[in-house]
Amino acid sequence: MNAKKIFKIIAIIVAIAGVAAAAVILIKKLTAKKEPEIFDDNDFFECDNDLEIIEVAEEEAQVEEKVEEEKKAPKKKAAKKAE
């Protein structure tokens, strides 16, 4: 036999084995059991629980005044529909 024919036969066998290996890997990936990924909140947030309390009396008073003004203001009634 000629050396070229031997190399061609070997190349065909390697190509077929490569395609078969790729098919096996693909089937394993597609049929693999998918497990849910569980995250721990401590991995994302670092909390030292030393909270600083800031008093905001002025802003709360302003908000309360605005609410009272809105309550006192006369409410506009919806325009009556033309009959």
Side-chain angles (χ1 to χ4, degrees):
M1 276 177 117
N2 199 355
K4 285 185 179 181
K5 284 187 178 181
I6 294 173
F7 288 132
K8 283 184 183 179
I9 292 171
I10 292 172
I12 290 171
I13 293 171
V14 170
I16 292 172
V19 170
V24 168
I25 292 172
L26 180 66
I27 290 171
K28 282 185 178 181
K29 270 193 167 184
L30 291 176
T31 60
K33 183 183 249 184
K34 296 181 180 178
E35 296 179 13
E37 196 169 343
I38 300 173
F39 294 105
D40 185 16
D41 286 340
N42 294 329
D43 293 340
F44 299 104
F45 304 107
E46 186 175 318
C47 184
D48 55 1
N49 292 332
D50 292 334
L51 301 176
E52 184 177 340
I53 299 174
I54 301 173
E55 294 185 18
V56 204
E58 294 177 12
E59 290 181 10
E60 289 177 2
Q62 291 175 356
V63 171
E64 289 176 3
E65 289 175 6
K66 288 182 182 179
V67 171
E68 289 176 10
E69 288 176 7
E70 289 176 0
K71 287 181 181 178
K72 290 180 182 179
K75 295 181 182 179
K76 296 181 180 179
K77 293 185 178 180
K80 294 182 180 179
K81 293 182 182 178
E83 291 181 12

